[in-house]
Amino acid sequence: MYCRNPKLGWGCSRTLWSSFTCEYIEGDISWFTEMGSIEEKVDLESDEEIPFSGSQTSNKMQSLSFETSHILSHPKFSASWVLRKVNRVSILRSIYIVLIKAKINVLLPFGPLAIMLHYLTKKHGWVFFFSLLGITPLAERLGYATEQLACFTGPTVGGLLNATFGNATEMIISMYALKNGMIRVVQQSLLGSILSNMLLVLGCAFFCGGIVHHHKVQVFNKATAIVNSGLLLMAVMGILFPAVLHFTHTEVHKGKSEIALSRVSSCIMLIAYAGYLFFQLKSQSNLYSSLDEAEANNDEDSDDDEVPEITHWEAITWLAVLTLWISILSGYLVDAIQGASDSMNMPVAFISVILLPIVGNAAEHASAIMFAMKDKLDITLGVAIGSSTQISMFVIPFCVIVGWFMGKPMDLNFQLFETATLFITVLVVAFMLQEGQSNYFKGLMLILCYLIVAASFFVHIDPSNDDD
């Protein structure tokens, strides 16, 4: 019995097989060239018959066994084998995905650097700047862990989780500022978060989604948008009346009626938000999940379906770890605000309303744009508008109640300039959402409105507490 094809048959020389194996495993050019020359040599002699005996078969099998053991002992093969083993370790894989894989994680070292500068130098401007850079990837990773956890829930609960943990950064910063008695920083940073979510985040989402899907009109659930707009107007009412009471000098007890009204209004707003959650998750859950479920049914086979990269317990653990690290950096950030304002010649109002919320809203910003580009605007509104609703109806009243227990005079009097800005912003966004449709031009208008707000606060001097 003879092998007529020297290239494929068992009659091929061991050198040819070894060269082919080395080329396949190593990708070495020299071995590939050697294999090519041997193949040419064999081609010239392809007409000769090569005997195929039993003894030769056993020899070739022994040579194959030798080559296999040689491959397994090769260092590069061992390295790839070790890498596969490492990938199977859940903890190391989770650390790689959360802390190394994302490009924004290159900013993580700025957090420890800010802490070192705080103790080694007195340059508050650099401490503030590096703290901002250090918190930015943490806020984005917090949003990522929330999204991974939301993969195990429905779209409604997922949007609520995104809004809740997306606001964790602002809430932690507010608690530290409130503890230090910086009432205006708390008020302005929370106000800036509302403005940033409603104008900048939603505007960028509408703009990017409109550019990607320019061939069609993107639609969202108009009913849910109207409910959120109503809650935002209710929040404006709760913030507006203490300011009007103060500046019209119509308080029954000067300096006390304003705080009392703020605390009563905060309790009412918290009750309203609890009713909203029950309405959203239990009573009328079909109103909020119908469109998303329809999209999920239509896109079952699409590539846009999200597959969680970490387990739900890993996501919960990372939420706790990232929240703790953000809380540590927030303390140094708050301590450096006044010094940064003096060193950079920048108003505290601009830092509180514009810079802090941009960092805190990094998670919402990334999530909202991503879902808008995937034509999932209901989740985008749940993240952007839902986050604004949560801050105005839960976080701000909660800070007032916490300040009450701390003995801090935290109230809902955000001053006339800030209150007027919030009122106009809610009206503009409500008009944008009333049609239930979005396009890139609406997004562009919202972004430009935010630039007007930013320019206004850059030239705004916060009045002293004694000024009326």
Side-chain angles (χ1 to χ4, degrees):
M1 184 175 181
Y2 297 95
C3 174
R4 299 293 300 175
N5 191 347
K7 293 183 180 180
L8 300 178
W10 287 99
C12 301
S13 66
R14 176 183 167 185
T15 306
L16 173 61
W17 170 255
S18 177
S19 301
F20 175 78
T21 304
C22 292
E23 186 273 330
Y24 181 77
I25 299 297
E26 300 291 335
D28 194 286
I29 304 267
S30 61
W31 284 323
F32 180 76
T33 306
E34 179 184 352
M35 184 190 71
S37 61
I38 294 177
E39 286 181 348
E40 292 176 358
K41 182 178 180 180
V42 173
D43 284 335
L44 295 176
E45 301 173 356
S46 60
D47 294 332
E48 298 180 4
E49 295 183 349
I50 302 175
F52 187 75
S53 62
S55 60
Q56 288 177 336
T57 303
S58 60
N59 292 334
K60 298 308 176 184
M61 294 299 294
Q62 292 177 359
S63 66
L64 286 175
S65 301
F66 173 79
E67 294 299 334
T68 304
S69 62
H70 175 71
I71 294 172
L72 289 175
S73 63
H74 199 276
K76 288 191 177 182
F77 184 85
S78 301
S80 62
W81 181 80
V82 171
L83 287 177
R84 285 198 298 270
K85 289 296 183 181
V86 170
N87 289 332
R88 294 175 185 175
V89 180
S90 178
I91 297 177
L92 296 179
R93 182 181 60 85
S94 178
I95 293 175
Y96 169 76
I97 291 175
V98 177
L99 297 183
I100 301 176
K101 185 178 180 181
K103 295 180 180 179
I104 197 174
N105 288 331
V106 298
L107 299 178
L108 285 175
F110 286 102
L113 182 59
I115 298 177
M116 292 176 57
L117 289 177
H118 175 79
Y119 291 104
L120 298 179
T121 66
K122 297 297 181 181
K123 297 181 179 180
H124 298 287
W126 287 107
V127 174
F128 176 80
F129 179 70
F130 286 151
S131 298
L132 280 180
L133 292 180
I135 288 179
T136 301
L138 295 177
E140 193 277 333
R141 291 287 87 187
L142 190 68
Y144 169 79
T146 306
E147 292 171 8
Q148 294 297 303
L149 185 60
C151 291
F152 300 95
T153 63
T156 303
V157 179
L160 182 63
L161 286 173
N162 272 289
T164 301
F165 284 98
N167 293 328
T169 305
E170 295 94 323
M171 199 166 184
I172 293 171
I173 294 175
S174 299
M175 290 297 104
Y176 272 96
L178 188 61
K179 183 180 178 181
N180 294 338
M182 305 172 69
I183 306 297
R184 289 298 292 159
V185 172
V186 176
Q187 293 176 336
Q188 290 175 340
S189 63
L190 294 178
L191 173 70
S193 296
I194 299 174
L195 299 177
S196 175
N197 278 304
M198 296 181 68
L199 295 178
L200 183 62
V201 174
L202 188 63
C204 290
F206 280 1
F207 183 78
C208 294
I211 293 295
V212 173
H213 302 280
H214 62 277
H215 56 281
K216 67 175 183 178
V217 177
Q218 291 184 292
V219 296
F220 52 85
N221 195 339
K222 184 169 63 175
T224 61
I226 292 176
V227 172
N228 281 284
S229 299
L231 284 172
L232 290 171
L233 286 173
M234 181 180 178
V236 170
M237 180 186 296
I239 294 174
L240 179 63
F241 285 155
V244 173
L245 185 67
H246 175 78
F247 286 98
T248 56
H249 306 284
T250 55
E251 299 174 272
V252 176
H253 302 286
K254 183 174 177 61
K256 296 182 179 179
S257 299
E258 173 189 340
I259 296 180
L261 175 61
S262 298
R263 291 168 178 172
V264 171
S265 299
S266 297
C267 294
I268 295 174
M269 292 164 70
L270 289 175
I271 294 173
Y273 186 72
Y276 165 69
L277 291 180
F278 179 79
F279 177 81
Q280 182 182 20
L281 300 177
K282 296 292 184 182
S283 177
Q284 300 291 331
S285 59
N286 59 330
L287 179 67
Y288 288 83
S289 60
S290 57
L291 289 183
D292 289 329
E293 290 177 354
E295 285 187 8
N297 293 331
N298 293 333
D299 298 336
E300 285 181 354
D301 299 329
S302 66
D303 295 332
D304 292 339
D305 293 337
E306 294 295 329
V307 177
E309 295 180 321
I310 58 178
T311 65
H312 64 287
W313 286 114
E314 290 175 345
I316 294 174
T317 303
W318 279 115
L319 287 176
V321 172
L322 293 172
T323 301
L324 178 62
W325 183 229
I326 289 174
S327 64
I328 294 174
L329 276 183
S330 298
Y332 296 95
L333 179 68
V334 171
D335 293 337
I337 287 179
Q338 187 61 50
S341 175
D342 297 336
S343 62
M344 294 187 295
N345 195 21
M346 188 178 296
V348 176
F350 181 81
I351 294 177
S352 302
V353 177
I354 304 300
L355 295 184
L356 291 181
I358 289 179
V359 174
N361 291 333
E364 291 99 325
H365 212 144
S367 300
I369 293 177
M370 178 188 67
F371 287 122
M373 294 176 67
K374 293 180 178 181
D375 199 19
K376 298 181 179 180
L377 283 185
D378 287 301
I379 303 181
T380 297
L381 290 179
V383 173
I385 301 300
S387 179
S388 299
T389 303
Q390 190 177 68
I391 292 176
S392 59
M393 295 296 294
F394 174 73
V395 179
I396 292 178
F398 180 77
C399 289
V400 173
I401 302 301
V402 171
W404 187 5
F405 286 104
M406 286 183 178
K408 305 293 184 181
M410 174 71 184
D411 56 16
L412 296 178
N413 179 15
F414 279 41
Q415 305 296 330
L416 286 180
F417 186 83
E418 289 83 351
T419 305
T421 304
L422 177 62
F423 180 60
I424 297 299
T425 299
V426 172
L427 289 182
V428 170
V429 174
F431 277 109
M432 293 288 184
L433 300 179
Q434 65 179 352
E435 293 180 352
Q437 299 177 353
S438 74
N439 51 60
Y440 71 91
F441 182 66
K442 284 185 177 181
L444 180 61
M445 285 192 291
L446 291 175
I447 295 173
L448 295 178
C449 288
Y450 185 76
L451 294 179
I452 294 175
V453 171
S456 301
F457 277 98
F458 189 78
V459 297
H460 172 65
I461 299 177
D462 192 42
S464 62
N465 294 330
D466 298 332
D467 293 340
D468 291 335

Short mmCIF file of all heavy atoms in Angstrom, two decimals, residues 3-44:
data_model
loop_
_atom_site.label_atom_id
_atom_site.label_comp_id
_atom_site.label_asym_id
_atom_site.label_seq_id
_atom_site.Cartn_x
_atom_site.Cartn_y
_atom_site.Cartn_z
N CYS A 3 1.29 5.69 -0.37
CA CYS A 3 0.69 7.03 -0.22
C CYS A 3 1.05 7.83 -1.45
O CYS A 3 2.22 8.12 -1.69
CB CYS A 3 1.21 7.70 1.05
SG CYS A 3 0.64 9.40 1.23
N ARG A 4 0.06 8.22 -2.24
CA ARG A 4 0.31 8.92 -3.48
C ARG A 4 0.49 10.42 -3.27
O ARG A 4 0.97 11.10 -4.14
CB ARG A 4 -0.84 8.70 -4.46
CG ARG A 4 -1.06 7.23 -4.84
CD ARG A 4 0.07 6.69 -5.65
NE ARG A 4 0.26 7.41 -6.88
CZ ARG A 4 1.25 7.20 -7.72
NH1 ARG A 4 2.17 6.27 -7.44
NH2 ARG A 4 1.35 7.88 -8.83
N ASN A 5 0.05 10.97 -2.12
CA ASN A 5 0.16 12.41 -1.86
C ASN A 5 1.13 12.65 -0.72
O ASN A 5 0.79 12.49 0.44
CB ASN A 5 -1.21 13.00 -1.50
CG ASN A 5 -1.19 14.53 -1.49
OD1 ASN A 5 -0.13 15.13 -1.51
ND2 ASN A 5 -2.38 15.11 -1.48
N PRO A 6 2.35 12.99 -1.02
CA PRO A 6 3.35 13.16 0.04
C PRO A 6 3.02 14.30 0.97
O PRO A 6 3.49 14.33 2.09
CB PRO A 6 4.64 13.43 -0.75
CG PRO A 6 4.37 12.98 -2.13
CD PRO A 6 2.92 13.16 -2.36
N LYS A 7 2.19 15.28 0.52
CA LYS A 7 1.90 16.43 1.39
C LYS A 7 0.96 16.06 2.52
O LYS A 7 1.01 16.62 3.59
CB LYS A 7 1.29 17.57 0.57
CG LYS A 7 2.24 18.18 -0.42
CD LYS A 7 1.58 19.34 -1.14
CE LYS A 7 2.54 19.97 -2.14
NZ LYS A 7 1.91 21.10 -2.85
N LEU A 8 0.05 15.13 2.28
CA LEU A 8 -0.98 14.82 3.26
C LEU A 8 -0.83 13.43 3.86
O LEU A 8 -1.40 13.15 4.91
CB LEU A 8 -2.37 14.93 2.61
CG LEU A 8 -2.73 16.31 2.05
CD1 LEU A 8 -4.10 16.26 1.40
CD2 LEU A 8 -2.69 17.35 3.15
N GLY A 9 -0.14 12.53 3.18
CA GLY A 9 -0.09 11.16 3.63
C GLY A 9 0.87 10.96 4.78
O GLY A 9 1.65 11.83 5.16
N TRP A 10 0.80 9.73 5.34
CA TRP A 10 1.68 9.37 6.46
C TRP A 10 3.13 9.24 6.02
O TRP A 10 4.03 9.14 6.85
CB TRP A 10 1.23 8.06 7.08
CG TRP A 10 -0.02 8.21 7.86
CD1 TRP A 10 -1.29 7.92 7.48
CD2 TRP A 10 -0.13 8.73 9.18
NE1 TRP A 10 -2.18 8.22 8.46
CE2 TRP A 10 -1.49 8.73 9.55
CE3 TRP A 10 0.80 9.22 10.12
CZ2 TRP A 10 -1.96 9.16 10.76
CZ3 TRP A 10 0.34 9.66 11.35
CH2 TRP A 10 -1.01 9.63 11.66
N GLY A 11 3.34 9.23 4.69
CA GLY A 11 4.70 9.10 4.23
C GLY A 11 5.50 10.37 4.30
O GLY A 11 6.66 10.39 3.92
N CYS A 12 4.88 11.48 4.70
CA CYS A 12 5.61 12.75 4.83
C CYS A 12 6.70 12.59 5.86
O CYS A 12 6.55 11.91 6.87
CB CYS A 12 4.67 13.87 5.24
SG CYS A 12 3.32 14.15 4.08
N SER A 13 7.78 13.27 5.63
CA SER A 13 8.91 13.17 6.53
C SER A 13 8.59 13.85 7.85
O SER A 13 7.75 14.74 7.95
CB SER A 13 10.13 13.84 5.90
OG SER A 13 9.91 15.21 5.77
N ARG A 14 9.27 13.44 8.90
CA ARG A 14 9.08 14.03 10.23
C ARG A 14 9.48 15.50 10.24
O ARG A 14 8.92 16.30 10.95
CB ARG A 14 9.93 13.24 11.23
CG ARG A 14 9.89 13.84 12.62
CD ARG A 14 10.80 13.06 13.55
NE ARG A 14 10.99 13.80 14.76
CZ ARG A 14 11.83 13.43 15.73
NH1 ARG A 14 12.53 12.33 15.59
NH2 ARG A 14 11.95 14.15 16.82
N THR A 15 10.47 15.82 9.39
CA THR A 15 10.90 17.22 9.34
C THR A 15 9.79 18.12 8.83
O THR A 15 9.56 19.21 9.32
CB THR A 15 12.13 17.36 8.43
OG1 THR A 15 13.11 16.45 8.89
CG2 THR A 15 12.65 18.78 8.44
N LEU A 16 9.09 17.64 7.79
CA LEU A 16 7.97 18.41 7.25
C LEU A 16 6.88 18.59 8.29
O LEU A 16 6.36 19.68 8.50
CB LEU A 16 7.40 17.71 6.01
CG LEU A 16 6.11 18.30 5.42
CD1 LEU A 16 6.38 19.74 5.00
CD2 LEU A 16 5.63 17.46 4.25
N TRP A 17 6.51 17.50 8.99
CA TRP A 17 5.46 17.60 10.02
C TRP A 17 5.89 18.51 11.16
O TRP A 17 5.12 19.31 11.68
CB TRP A 17 5.15 16.19 10.53
CG TRP A 17 4.27 16.21 11.76
CD1 TRP A 17 4.63 15.99 13.04
CD2 TRP A 17 2.87 16.49 11.79
NE1 TRP A 17 3.55 16.10 13.88
CE2 TRP A 17 2.46 16.42 13.12
CE3 TRP A 17 1.93 16.79 10.79
CZ2 TRP A 17 1.14 16.63 13.49
CZ3 TRP A 17 0.64 17.00 11.17
CH2 TRP A 17 0.24 16.93 12.52
N SER A 18 7.15 18.38 11.58
CA SER A 18 7.66 19.23 12.67
C SER A 18 7.63 20.68 12.27
O SER A 18 7.26 21.56 13.05
CB SER A 18 9.08 18.80 13.04
OG SER A 18 9.60 19.66 14.03
N SER A 19 8.04 20.97 11.01
CA SER A 19 8.04 22.36 10.56
C SER A 19 6.63 22.91 10.50
O SER A 19 6.36 24.04 10.89
CB SER A 19 8.70 22.45 9.17
OG SER A 19 10.01 21.99 9.23
N PHE A 20 5.70 22.07 10.00
CA PHE A 20 4.30 22.52 9.93
C PHE A 20 3.74 22.79 11.31
O PHE A 20 3.04 23.78 11.54
CB PHE A 20 3.47 21.47 9.20
CG PHE A 20 2.01 21.79 9.18
CD1 PHE A 20 1.52 22.75 8.29
CD2 PHE A 20 1.13 21.17 10.06
CE1 PHE A 20 0.19 23.08 8.28
CE2 PHE A 20 -0.20 21.50 10.05
CZ PHE A 20 -0.67 22.43 9.16
N THR A 21 4.06 21.92 12.27
CA THR A 21 3.56 22.09 13.63
C THR A 21 4.13 23.34 14.27
O THR A 21 3.42 24.13 14.90
CB THR A 21 3.93 20.86 14.48
OG1 THR A 21 3.42 19.70 13.85
CG2 THR A 21 3.35 20.98 15.89
N CYS A 22 5.42 23.55 14.11
CA CYS A 22 6.04 24.74 14.69
C CYS A 22 5.48 26.00 14.07
O CYS A 22 5.27 27.00 14.74
CB CYS A 22 7.55 24.69 14.50
SG CYS A 22 8.36 23.39 15.46
N GLU A 23 5.24 25.93 12.74
CA GLU A 23 4.68 27.14 12.09
C GLU A 23 3.28 27.43 12.61
O GLU A 23 2.90 28.57 12.81
CB GLU A 23 4.67 26.90 10.59
CG GLU A 23 4.26 28.13 9.76
CD GLU A 23 2.75 28.19 9.60
OE1 GLU A 23 2.13 27.11 9.60
OE2 GLU A 23 2.20 29.29 9.51
N TYR A 24 2.50 26.38 12.85
CA TYR A 24 1.11 26.57 13.31
C TYR A 24 1.07 27.10 14.74
O TYR A 24 0.27 27.96 15.08
CB TYR A 24 0.37 25.24 13.22
CG TYR A 24 -1.06 25.34 13.66
CD1 TYR A 24 -2.00 25.91 12.82
CD2 TYR A 24 -1.44 24.88 14.92
CE1 TYR A 24 -3.31 26.01 13.21
CE2 TYR A 24 -2.75 24.98 15.32
CZ TYR A 24 -3.69 25.54 14.46
OH TYR A 24 -4.99 25.64 14.85
N ILE A 25 1.99 26.58 15.57
CA ILE A 25 1.97 27.01 16.97
C ILE A 25 2.70 28.32 17.15
O ILE A 25 2.24 29.23 17.84
CB ILE A 25 2.61 25.91 17.86
CG1 ILE A 25 1.82 24.62 17.75
CG2 ILE A 25 2.65 26.36 19.32
CD1 ILE A 25 0.39 24.73 18.24
N GLU A 26 3.86 28.46 16.54
CA GLU A 26 4.71 29.60 16.81
C GLU A 26 4.48 30.75 15.87
O GLU A 26 4.64 31.90 16.24
CB GLU A 26 6.19 29.19 16.73
CG GLU A 26 6.57 28.12 17.73
CD GLU A 26 6.53 28.66 19.15
OE1 GLU A 26 6.68 29.87 19.31
OE2 GLU A 26 6.37 27.87 20.07
N GLY A 27 4.13 30.47 14.63
CA GLY A 27 4.01 31.52 13.64
C GLY A 27 5.35 32.09 13.25
O GLY A 27 5.45 33.26 12.87
N ASP A 28 6.41 31.31 13.36
CA ASP A 28 7.76 31.81 13.09
C ASP A 28 8.00 31.83 11.59
O ASP A 28 7.74 30.84 10.89
CB ASP A 28 8.79 30.92 13.78
CG ASP A 28 10.15 31.59 13.81
OD1 ASP A 28 10.79 31.64 12.74
OD2 ASP A 28 10.56 32.04 14.89
N ILE A 29 8.53 32.90 11.09
CA ILE A 29 8.75 33.07 9.65
C ILE A 29 9.78 32.07 9.13
O ILE A 29 9.64 31.52 8.04
CB ILE A 29 9.21 34.50 9.36
CG1 ILE A 29 8.20 35.45 9.92
CG2 ILE A 29 9.42 34.70 7.87
CD1 ILE A 29 7.14 35.90 9.03
N SER A 30 10.85 31.87 9.93
CA SER A 30 11.92 31.01 9.45
C SER A 30 11.44 29.58 9.27
O SER A 30 11.76 28.91 8.30
CB SER A 30 13.11 31.06 10.41
OG SER A 30 12.72 30.60 11.69
N TRP A 31 10.65 29.10 10.23
CA TRP A 31 10.11 27.75 10.10
C TRP A 31 9.13 27.66 8.94
O TRP A 31 9.01 26.66 8.26
CB TRP A 31 9.44 27.32 11.40
CG TRP A 31 10.45 26.95 12.44
CD1 TRP A 31 11.64 26.33 12.29
CD2 TRP A 31 10.34 27.24 13.84
NE1 TRP A 31 12.29 26.19 13.46
CE2 TRP A 31 11.52 26.74 14.45
CE3 TRP A 31 9.38 27.86 14.65
CZ2 TRP A 31 11.74 26.83 15.82
CZ3 TRP A 31 9.59 27.95 16.01
CH2 TRP A 31 10.77 27.45 16.58
N PHE A 32 8.35 28.74 8.75
CA PHE A 32 7.42 28.74 7.64
C PHE A 32 8.17 28.64 6.30
O PHE A 32 7.77 27.93 5.38
CB PHE A 32 6.58 30.02 7.69
CG PHE A 32 5.58 30.11 6.57
CD1 PHE A 32 4.42 29.36 6.58
CD2 PHE A 32 5.82 30.96 5.49
CE1 PHE A 32 3.51 29.45 5.56
CE2 PHE A 32 4.92 31.05 4.47
CZ PHE A 32 3.75 30.29 4.50
N THR A 33 9.30 29.38 6.22
CA THR A 33 10.12 29.32 5.01
C THR A 33 10.69 27.93 4.81
O THR A 33 10.73 27.39 3.69
CB THR A 33 11.25 30.35 5.09
OG1 THR A 33 10.67 31.62 5.36
CG2 THR A 33 12.04 30.41 3.80
N GLU A 34 11.14 27.33 5.92
CA GLU A 34 11.70 25.98 5.84
C GLU A 34 10.64 25.00 5.36
O GLU A 34 10.91 24.14 4.53
CB GLU A 34 12.22 25.57 7.21
CG GLU A 34 12.81 24.15 7.23
CD GLU A 34 13.21 23.77 8.64
OE1 GLU A 34 13.17 24.65 9.51
OE2 GLU A 34 13.57 22.59 8.85
N MET A 35 9.43 25.15 5.87
CA MET A 35 8.36 24.26 5.45
C MET A 35 8.08 24.44 3.96
O MET A 35 7.84 23.48 3.23
CB MET A 35 7.10 24.54 6.26
CG MET A 35 5.95 23.57 5.94
SD MET A 35 4.39 24.10 6.69
CE MET A 35 4.06 25.53 5.67
N GLY A 36 8.09 25.71 3.50
CA GLY A 36 7.83 25.96 2.09
C GLY A 36 8.88 25.31 1.19
O GLY A 36 8.57 24.73 0.14
N SER A 37 10.16 25.38 1.60
CA SER A 37 11.22 24.76 0.78
C SER A 37 11.08 23.25 0.76
O SER A 37 11.31 22.61 -0.25
CB SER A 37 12.58 25.17 1.33
OG SER A 37 12.73 24.72 2.67
N ILE A 38 10.71 22.67 1.88
CA ILE A 38 10.54 21.22 1.94
C ILE A 38 9.36 20.80 1.08
O ILE A 38 9.39 19.79 0.38
CB ILE A 38 10.36 20.75 3.39
CG1 ILE A 38 11.65 20.99 4.16
CG2 ILE A 38 9.96 19.28 3.46
CD1 ILE A 38 11.55 20.64 5.63
N GLU A 39 8.28 21.61 1.12
CA GLU A 39 7.12 21.29 0.32
C GLU A 39 7.47 21.33 -1.17
O GLU A 39 7.01 20.50 -1.96
CB GLU A 39 5.98 22.25 0.61
CG GLU A 39 5.32 22.00 1.95
CD GLU A 39 4.18 22.97 2.19
OE1 GLU A 39 4.09 23.95 1.42
OE2 GLU A 39 3.42 22.75 3.13
N GLU A 40 8.30 22.33 -1.56
CA GLU A 40 8.70 22.40 -2.96
C GLU A 40 9.52 21.17 -3.34
O GLU A 40 9.36 20.60 -4.43
CB GLU A 40 9.51 23.67 -3.20
CG GLU A 40 8.66 24.95 -3.07
CD GLU A 40 9.53 26.18 -3.22
OE1 GLU A 40 10.77 26.00 -3.36
OE2 GLU A 40 8.98 27.29 -3.18
N LYS A 41 10.37 20.75 -2.43
CA LYS A 41 11.19 19.58 -2.71
C LYS A 41 10.34 18.33 -2.86
O LYS A 41 10.56 17.50 -3.73
CB LYS A 41 12.22 19.41 -1.61
CG LYS A 41 13.16 18.24 -1.82
CD LYS A 41 14.19 18.18 -0.71
CE LYS A 41 15.14 17.00 -0.90
NZ LYS A 41 16.13 16.93 0.18
N VAL A 42 9.33 18.24 -2.02
CA VAL A 42 8.44 17.08 -2.09
C VAL A 42 7.60 17.13 -3.35
O VAL A 42 7.28 16.12 -3.97
CB VAL A 42 7.55 17.01 -0.83
CG1 VAL A 42 6.51 15.90 -0.98
CG2 VAL A 42 8.42 16.74 0.40
N ASP A 43 7.20 18.34 -3.78
CA ASP A 43 6.41 18.48 -5.00
C ASP A 43 7.17 17.94 -6.22
O ASP A 43 6.58 17.35 -7.13
CB ASP A 43 6.05 19.94 -5.24
CG ASP A 43 4.93 20.38 -4.32
OD1 ASP A 43 4.17 19.48 -3.90
OD2 ASP A 43 4.85 21.59 -4.03
N LEU A 44 8.50 18.19 -6.24
CA LEU A 44 9.28 17.73 -7.38
C LEU A 44 9.33 16.22 -7.44
O LEU A 44 9.47 15.64 -8.51
CB LEU A 44 10.70 18.31 -7.30
CG LEU A 44 10.79 19.84 -7.44
CD1 LEU A 44 12.23 20.30 -7.25
CD2 LEU A 44 10.25 20.29 -8.80
#
